[in-house]
Amino acid sequence: MADREDGGMSDWGIALIAAGSAIAGSVVTGWYTRGAGLRQAAAARHAGDRQADALLESVRMTLRAESANREFALRRQTYAEFLGAAEARSLTERNGRGQADDDVLLQRALSGVLLEGPPDAAAAAQHLVDCLRRHERPDELKRAKLAFVSVAQECCRSR
């Protein structure tokens, strides 16, 4: 590139410098824009991951609550069936009339309580059945029944 006679640059030289500056500026701006875009994409991905984790935890909590409710309902039903079977057996004891399968139903209901637990409810149920089988006095049967009811209520209340 030849300089002009008056010592200035030619138009071509100025154009080349301007074009080089524009290209360099575009490269630098593009580089920073790319970096910002990558950071935004990473932040969006992170936010999406957090949102998905929160949704999964919400689903897990709902499933745990539903499972606990089913467990509670089953335990309550088991206790009620045992109490009904014990009462039927107690009535048979008092009036001498009962069904032939009262003992079978009582044993089946006791097995349910033994499986469902907890240990203090199982022990109270076993004690009531033992009192029925030993033909304990009515006041002792009543105490054993109330002890079981108390433990069962506590188990149902502790939810």
Side-chain angles (χ1 to χ4, degrees):
M1 284 182 233
D3 285 338
R4 294 190 330 207
E5 285 180 23
D6 60 356
M9 291 185 98
S10 70
D11 289 339
W12 277 102
I14 294 172
L16 285 175
I17 291 173
S21 295
I23 290 172
S26 293
V27 167
V28 169
T29 301
W31 182 260
Y32 284 114
T33 302
R34 177 184 170 273
L38 290 174
R39 283 190 301 278
Q40 284 179 339
R45 185 172 38 256
H46 181 67
D49 289 346
R50 285 194 345 242
Q51 190 175 22
D53 289 344
L55 178 62
L56 285 174
E57 183 58 27
S58 174
V59 168
R60 285 185 195 110
M61 288 172 53
T62 300
L63 291 174
R64 278 193 299 268
E66 288 174 358
S67 177
N69 285 336
R70 281 191 305 273
E71 182 180 325
F72 172 74
L74 176 62
R75 182 172 285 171
R76 187 179 184 121
Q77 178 183 353
T78 301
Y79 292 166
E81 287 174 4
F82 171 75
L83 201 53
E87 191 61 36
R89 178 65 165 71
S90 181
L91 285 173
T92 298
E93 188 73 26
R94 280 196 301 255
N95 65 22
R97 293 186 315 244
Q99 303 296 323
D101 60 348
D102 280 350
D103 284 333
V104 171
L105 292 176
L106 181 61
Q107 185 59 44
R108 186 176 298 143
L110 174 63
S111 296
V113 175
L114 294 175
L115 286 173
E116 279 299 311
D120 52 347
Q126 184 65 60
H127 177 67
L128 178 54
V129 169
D130 291 344
C131 287
L132 286 167
R133 289 182 178 155
R134 285 192 308 259
H135 307 287
E136 294 284 346
R137 294 185 328 263
D139 59 329
E140 180 59 32
L141 285 174
K142 184 176 182 179
R143 273 195 296 277
K145 178 181 169 185
L146 289 176
F148 172 75
V149 168
S150 176
V151 170
Q153 286 175 337
E154 187 59 34
C155 290
C156 291
R157 204 176 292 121
S158 64
R159 273 190 32 73

